[in-house]
């Protein structure tokens, strides 16, 4: 079987909330230096997502309307066997990949965007503001807001805005309003631009800008595309589908791989598997892959830090490189965040998952190999997972092990052609 499809009615009816099952209790968000960040949370976020953030209920019902849209955009996504790649690698390992690239917005991000836009609409909110790195989240939220008939205002990290001009076109086509961050719309942006006019921007600054706008108007809320518990929650449709597909394929994989930026596609594809692991039903290795240029889990420290550069968010206990960390301008813009999901951080700290890092040259080599054998041009972010999946398959060849490897293909790279062009012409940095 090369492709394992599920019918629409197999879209999960619940999201899986890992909060009650974490090996260490999640430390609560706290106020930073003399601020009232925790008190401000209800002004920033919708009620529904804040409730989900703290919830200790293991399963949370997916609203009927959200589930229907999941079906309309093509969920469940297929699981593919990477037969071409296996043959090319001449490995005894079996490789599967879950196709979140098949989402109309190009990545898994739509799974949370739809839920967040739905709750905003239900609570009478007129506009959502957000940040975006590579542009995937901005595209997904623009589309979701357009479907719910509310406005969307996106602050896009300036270096990505310049690297990926067509992302702006996609977001505008989906009725989003896009600004390069640091922008002149906000106090935060103006301050940064005054101090350093050529600032490349960062996710931390873009988040501050989007929150500043939301704080100023009660009909405007802010929406985050990763890191927070409710985003991890919404993404668990991926892993629940995956488990059914693996049963159909009669596979019990020993290795699962996903890339990590803020942690959401990793969490979404892995949490249902992690639940099995904690229940003693599998001892699979779960690998989280990040860029060596932004090595949050592998080199960061586990401590309380702000989620944004300005300190509008509460302090979150997580692996972090520091909220003023400015990552180098690598093409995997979605993986350039200074922090990490507090839940994923705990899982890494407790040794339930294994973090690894890879460099930019390696991921583009893996991406090209994948494109030539499996026909899909993967997102540079997803290619971090592909690189490690391929490494594991090569190791299996050396040892003769019949491994089964599952990779979460978080998105396609058709709007990342500048990165591919730099790779082909030998102009990649790092
Ligand atoms: C945003 C993005 C990521 C990184 O974000 P996570 O929350 O860690 O999943 C990875 N892959 C793609 C394609 C993305 O768009």
């Amino acid at each position: 079987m090369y492709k394992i499809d599920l019918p629409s009615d197999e879209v999960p009816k619940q999201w899986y909330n890992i909060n009650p099952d974490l090996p260490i209790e999640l430390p609560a968000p706290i106020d930073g230096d003399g601020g009232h960040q925790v008190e401000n949370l209800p002004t920033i976020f919708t009620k529904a997502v804040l409730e989900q953030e703290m919830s200790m209920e293991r399963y949370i019902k997916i609203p009927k309307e959200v589930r229907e849209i999941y079906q309309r955009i093509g969920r469940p996504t297929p699981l593919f066997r990477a037969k071409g790649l296996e043959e090319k690698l001449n490995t005894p390992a079996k490789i599967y990949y879950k196709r979140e690239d098949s989402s109309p917005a190009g990545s898994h991000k739509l799974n949370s965007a739809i839920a967040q836009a739905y709750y905003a609409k239900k609570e009478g909110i007129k506009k959502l503001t957000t940040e975006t790195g590579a542009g995937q989240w901005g595209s997904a939220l623009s589309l979701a807001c357009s479907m719910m008939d509310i406005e969307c205002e996106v602050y896009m990290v300036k270096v990505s805005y310049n690297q990926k001009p067509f992302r702006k076109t996609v977001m505008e086509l989906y009725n989003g309003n896009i600004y390069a961050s640091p922008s002149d719309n906000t106090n935060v942006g103006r301050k940064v631009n005054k101090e350093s006019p050529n600032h490349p921007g960062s996710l931390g600054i873009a988040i501050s800008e989007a929150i500043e706008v939301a704080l100023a108007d009660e009909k405007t809320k802010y929406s985050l595309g990763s890191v927070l518990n409710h985003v991890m929650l919404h993404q668990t449709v991926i892993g629940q589908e995956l488990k059914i597909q693996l049963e159909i394929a009669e596979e019990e994989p020993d290795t699962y791989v996903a890339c990590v930026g803020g942690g959401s596609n990793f969490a979404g594809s892995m949490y249902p598997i992690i639940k099995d692991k904690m229940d003693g039903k599998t001892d699979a290795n779960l690998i989280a892959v990040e860029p060596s240029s932004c090595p949050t889990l592998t080199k960061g420290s586990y401590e309380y830090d702000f989620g944004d550069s300005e300190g509008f968010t509460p302090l979150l206990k997580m692996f972090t490189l520091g909220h003023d960390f400015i990552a180098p301008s690598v093409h995997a813009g979605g993986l350039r965040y200074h922090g990490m999901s507090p839940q994923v951080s705990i899982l890494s700290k407790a040794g339930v998952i294994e973090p690894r890092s890879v460099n930019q040259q390696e991921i583009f080599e893996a991406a090209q190999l994948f494109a030539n054998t499996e026909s899909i041009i993967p997102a540079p972010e997803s290619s971090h997972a592909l690189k490690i999946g391929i490494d594991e398959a090569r190791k299996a060849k050396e040892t003769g092990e019949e491994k089964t490897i599952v990779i979460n293909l978080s998105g396609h790279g058709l709007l990342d052609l500048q990165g591919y062009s730099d790779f082909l012409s030998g102009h990649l940095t790092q």
Side-chain angles (χ1 to χ4, degrees):
M1 234 184 318
Y2 299 120
K3 180 185 181 199
I4 298 126
D5 258 328
L6 295 176
S8 300
D9 62 356
E10 290 276 13
V11 167
K13 296 192 171 74
Q14 302 169 323
W15 291 301
Y16 166 54
N17 174 20
I18 204 169
N19 276 343
D21 295 324
L22 286 172
I24 306 169
E25 199 186 325
L26 199 67
I30 56 172
D31 284 333
D33 264 355
H36 300 282
Q37 293 91 345
V38 175
E39 199 180 300
N40 279 340
L41 285 175
T43 320
I44 300 175
F45 290 101
T46 59
K47 281 192 204 75
V49 304
L50 272 185
E51 255 170 46
Q52 292 178 346
E53 194 61 21
M54 316 295 178
S55 173
M56 287 302 271
E57 259 174 69
R58 186 168 285 125
Y59 294 99
I60 294 178
K61 187 176 182 291
I62 301 176
K64 190 169 147 279
E65 295 86 343
V66 172
R67 189 166 176 266
E68 269 171 26
I69 298 182
Y70 282 166
Q71 293 172 330
R72 276 168 45 202
I73 61 161
R75 298 212 74 86
T77 58
L79 179 70
F80 269 59
R81 171 101 183 254
K83 205 68 184 152
L85 180 60
E86 288 171 18
E87 276 165 18
K88 183 78 178 180
L89 293 171
N90 190 20
T91 173
K94 289 187 250 177
I95 308 172
Y96 288 87
Y97 54 99
K98 176 76 168 152
R99 290 206 53 188
E100 290 304 301
D101 65 297
S102 69
S103 167
S107 78
H108 66 291
K109 297 263 176 26
L110 206 44
N111 299 331
S112 185
I114 290 165
Q116 294 195 46
Y118 165 79
Y119 290 125
K121 176 75 179 180
K122 216 173 136 208
E123 292 177 26
I125 299 308
K126 300 279 182 252
K127 176 158 87 178
L128 284 177
T129 64
T130 196
E131 76 296 330
T132 194
Q136 300 269 30
W137 171 245
S139 305
L141 194 68
S142 296
L143 171 55
C145 284
S146 185
M147 283 173 159
M148 297 295 164
D149 202 18
I150 56 180
E151 278 179 64
C152 184
E153 187 168 306
V154 184
Y155 289 85
M156 181 166 184
V157 179
K158 197 176 272 169
V159 48
S160 295
Y161 186 91
N162 294 331
Q163 272 172 351
K164 304 173 191 207
F166 290 115
R167 270 289 166 200
K168 179 167 179 268
T169 312
V170 172
M171 289 185 264
E172 287 180 344
L173 198 57
Y174 287 146
N175 295 319
N177 294 311
I178 322 305
Y179 302 97
S181 167
S183 78
D184 284 329
N185 292 5
T186 63
N187 291 329
V188 171
R190 284 188 292 270
K191 193 175 85 187
V192 178
N193 280 334
K194 198 165 157 216
E195 282 164 11
S196 42
N198 295 319
H199 201 290
S202 71
L203 277 169
I205 293 169
I207 295 173
S208 294
E209 289 205 87
I211 295 181
E212 186 183 321
V213 176
L215 279 171
D217 174 28
E218 63 172 24
K219 290 286 178 203
T220 299
K221 298 280 177 194
Y222 164 73
S223 170
L224 186 62
S226 188
V227 184
L228 295 179
N229 306 340
H230 64 270
V231 186
M232 308 295 124
L233 173 80
H234 300 154
Q235 293 294 351
T236 57
V237 288
I238 307 173
Q240 294 181 71
E241 292 171 7
L242 175 61
K243 276 184 60 173
I244 302 172
Q245 288 164 318
L246 288 169
E247 265 170 39
I248 293 172
E250 296 180 0
E251 296 288 6
E252 290 183 6
D254 29 57
T255 306
Y256 292 83
V257 199
C259 66
V260 278
S264 76
N265 88 88
F266 178 85
S269 55
M270 305 274 181
Y271 280 4
I273 314 289
I274 290 175
K275 170 102 175 51
D276 281 356
K277 188 167 175 173
M278 290 189 296
D279 291 345
K281 292 185 194 155
T282 171
D283 58 358
N285 192 18
L286 310 159
I287 309 173
V289 193
E290 59 187 13
S292 50
S293 59
C294 190
T296 318
L297 281 177
T298 49
K299 299 245 174 78
S301 43
Y302 183 62
E303 60 190 30
Y304 270 110
D305 193 11
F306 291 115
D308 66 326
S309 66
E310 190 65 19
F312 286 141
T313 73
L315 294 168
L316 302 171
K317 187 96 182 255
M318 60 184 175
F319 277 99
T320 175
L321 297 162
H323 61 276
D324 49 7
F325 177 78
I326 305 291
S329 305
V330 291
H331 285 285
L335 307 185
R336 275 203 308 254
Y337 184 62
H338 69 273
M340 182 57 62
S341 144
Q343 292 175 339
V344 172
S345 294
I346 279 183
L347 293 165
S348 184
K349 187 146 186 63
V352 178
I353 64 172
E354 181 197 340
R356 288 196 209 170
S357 72
V358 291
N359 71 40
Q360 177 157 255
Q361 181 67 28
E362 298 174 305
I363 68 109
F364 275 104
E365 284 163 11
Q368 189 178 24
L369 177 60
F370 186 76
N372 280 285
T373 51
E374 293 300 317
S375 76
I376 299 160
I377 298 177
E381 289 85 356
S382 320
S383 304
H384 288 70
L386 291 172
K387 158 68 184 155
I388 291 296
I390 290 169
D391 279 358
E392 290 296 306
R394 286 193 168 124
K395 253 190 248 165
K397 184 183 173 187
E398 280 165 29
T399 60
E401 265 177 291
E402 287 180 17
K403 280 187 158 217
T404 304
I405 301 164
V406 177
I407 299 165
N408 191 44
L409 188 65
S410 54
H412 70 64
L414 289 173
L415 288 161
D416 296 283
L417 295 183
Q418 186 61 51
Y420 278 98
S421 165
D422 290 352
F423 165 67
L424 292 173
S425 61
H427 288 119
L428 278 185
T429 50
Q430 314 250 339

